[in-house]
Amino acid sequence: MEFGILMGDQPTSSSPAEHLDLMLRKVEAAQKAGFKYLTIGQHFLYDGFRWLQPVPLLSRLAAELDGDVRLGTTVLIGPVHHPVILAEELATLDIITGGRLVVGIGTGYLPSEYESMGVPFKQRYRLLEELIELMSKLWSQDRVTHQGRYWQVEDVPTHIRPLQQPRPPIWLGAMKETGVRRAARHGDVWTITPQQTVDQVEELIRIYVEERLAADLPLNKLPLRRELMIGRDFDDAVDNFAAVARVKYEAYAQRGMDLLSDEAVRDSFVSTIQDHVLLGSADEVRDQIIGIAERLPIGPLLVRPHWPGMDAAQTVAYLQQVGKEIVRPLADLVSASFEGVLASLPGGGEAASEPQPVAG
């Protein structure tokens, strides 16, 4: 089992220089602790918190990268970008990283970000699908013609191709059935969001597999995002997690993130988190991860080492602890295959091709 981190936002009260220094220290500590994926998301015009933009930031961080570590976006807000610009920027980033880029992409959830860009929020899913289609052509063809609903190019040359061919691996985030089906058709994997329970994910994986088989596409293990906090015991871990994460959970709910109720987060924080956050002693957290891996075909597992307001020392200490207590002890853990899911499908999944590995 490989592990990765999500590098997030920081309060705007901290200086930009401090923010960059935090990112650099986080990357150094994560690699020393054994994490193999370093990823960051994206927001625009975000109130109270600063999100450094992924492409330029990851270009800087690539200079600090160990040879077996990958960089990724988790996730880019795809539909607000022009596909030609985004495709060339990401191809350049793949070159800079030596072919170790993962392109995590989705639609985001904030209408205000679309409004500020003049992009129709209600058309975000169609935009995303066409964006991926056109970028994939730009990454893999010498000349491209595309006559779509939103973008048109006619016999244009491509001059920047990613090292990974035909394209860098695309991770598509999704929370519900329609999104999971979209991820199965247009991405290489579906990225499981941190708010989904194992029971919810099991059913969605079945849907994902059905859609992949219908499109004659290979099955690849699924990145799983999970929040994780170690304590002396469960109650101590909950207290530790609430101290750093509660304010951010409330902010997510207030901004309308699916699967999080504003009222539930404010009034019942513990019951809101305990079914999807890994909490407990180190032994208990390892057992929880092993239990998930026995049920789900997952990998890598991505955790958040830093919440807004934590300083660099706290973040480094978290990474050191999780590396020692979780990452290294579980390095040889192998998650479930898709065989159980295939066997549960009509006909026993006879139409399935043998699962194939995907870069990233």
Side-chain angles (χ1 to χ4, degrees):
M1 176 69 67
E2 291 187 321
F3 290 79
I5 65 168
L6 296 107
M7 300 178 288
D9 48 347
Q10 185 71 348
T12 52
S13 56
S14 67
S15 74
E18 290 172 336
H19 194 163
L20 177 59
D21 179 68
L22 172 65
M23 289 293 185
L24 293 170
R25 293 185 63 181
K26 198 183 304 184
V27 165
E28 179 184 20
Q31 293 183 104
K32 286 182 177 178
F35 290 89
K36 302 302 182 185
Y37 288 79
L38 311 175
T39 71
I40 188 166
Q42 182 173 56
H43 280 291
F44 297 96
L45 305 176
Y46 204 71
D47 188 23
F49 299 93
R50 181 191 303 107
W51 284 84
L52 297 176
Q53 287 301 313
V55 172
L57 176 65
L58 294 179
S59 297
R60 170 64 183 87
L61 299 183
E64 312 297 326
L65 211 58
D66 292 344
D68 59 347
V69 176
R70 301 178 70 90
L71 291 177
T73 58
T74 316
V75 296
L76 292 171
I77 307 172
V80 303
H81 296 271
H82 192 288
V84 173
I85 296 173
L86 186 59
E88 293 201 355
E89 287 184 341
L90 291 173
T92 301
L93 183 55
D94 191 55
I95 294 167
I96 291 171
T97 62
R100 285 175 285 158
L101 175 66
V102 172
V103 178
I105 196 165
T107 61
Y109 60 94
L110 293 174
S112 61
E113 293 178 311
Y114 284 76
E115 292 166 5
S116 66
M117 304 285 189
V119 177
F121 184 70
K122 290 184 178 180
Q123 297 180 43
R124 62 194 182 278
Y125 299 118
R126 288 180 178 177
L127 283 160
L128 178 65
E129 292 177 5
E130 188 175 333
L131 177 100
I132 294 171
E133 179 186 358
L134 179 49
M135 288 202 307
S136 296
K137 292 177 181 178
L138 292 165
W139 285 334
S140 59
Q141 299 177 15
D142 292 329
R143 303 190 72 87
V144 172
T145 294
H146 177 88
Q147 297 297 326
R149 177 173 181 173
Y150 302 103
W151 299 287
Q152 299 82 37
V153 296
E154 183 65 34
D155 192 31
V156 297
T158 58
H159 70 121
I160 309 175
R161 301 272 285 275
L163 295 183
Q164 298 178 90
Q165 284 293 311
R167 67 186 188 186
I170 293 181
W171 294 4
L172 279 180
M175 297 183 184
K176 298 179 181 179
E177 178 179 340
T178 302
V180 169
R181 291 190 183 278
R182 182 180 305 107
R185 295 192 308 271
H186 297 282
D188 295 302
V189 294
W190 157 47
T191 304
I192 303 167
T193 62
Q195 292 81 26
Q196 292 165 306
T197 67
V198 174
D199 289 341
Q200 291 170 334
V201 171
E202 275 191 321
E203 178 55 30
L204 289 172
I205 287 179
R206 176 186 172 92
I207 292 166
Y208 173 85
V209 168
E210 289 175 342
E211 199 73 20
R212 294 289 286 185
L213 297 184
D216 195 27
L217 293 170
L219 298 172
N220 306 297
K221 291 196 174 182
L222 307 173
L224 172 66
R225 291 179 55 187
R226 275 293 184 267
E227 314 298 0
L228 183 156
M229 185 62 72
I230 298 171
R232 294 186 302 274
D233 52 28
F234 176 81
D235 290 338
D236 185 52
V238 169
D239 289 342
N240 293 342
F241 187 71
V244 296
R246 183 169 190 145
V247 171
K248 192 62 177 176
Y249 262 67
E250 291 174 352
Y252 281 143
Q254 290 164 6
R255 286 179 164 97
M257 176 179 277
D258 287 346
L259 303 182
L260 285 179
S261 158
D262 186 16
E263 182 178 355
V265 170
R266 284 187 288 103
D267 299 340
S268 307
F269 183 73
V270 174
S271 61
T272 299
I273 66 169
Q274 64 184 359
D275 61 355
H276 66 266
V277 178
L278 301 169
L279 298 162
S281 67
D283 287 340
E284 290 170 332
V285 171
R286 285 196 298 271
D287 287 344
Q288 290 169 40
I289 294 172
I290 292 169
I292 294 172
E294 288 174 346
R295 294 175 62 180
L296 305 179
I298 58 166
L301 175 60
L302 306 177
V303 303
R304 184 197 312 246
H306 174 88
W307 294 84
M310 290 174 61
D311 61 28
Q314 289 173 299
T315 302
V316 169
Y318 176 95
L319 287 165
Q320 290 173 339
Q321 181 185 33
V322 175
K324 177 182 177 181
E325 302 285 0
I326 307 297
V327 174
R328 299 197 188 284
L330 295 182
D332 294 329
L333 176 65
V334 178
S335 67
S337 70
F338 284 94
E339 291 180 2
V341 181
L342 293 169
S344 70
L345 298 177
E350 293 176 358
S353 60
E354 189 68 21
Q356 299 293 321
V358 61

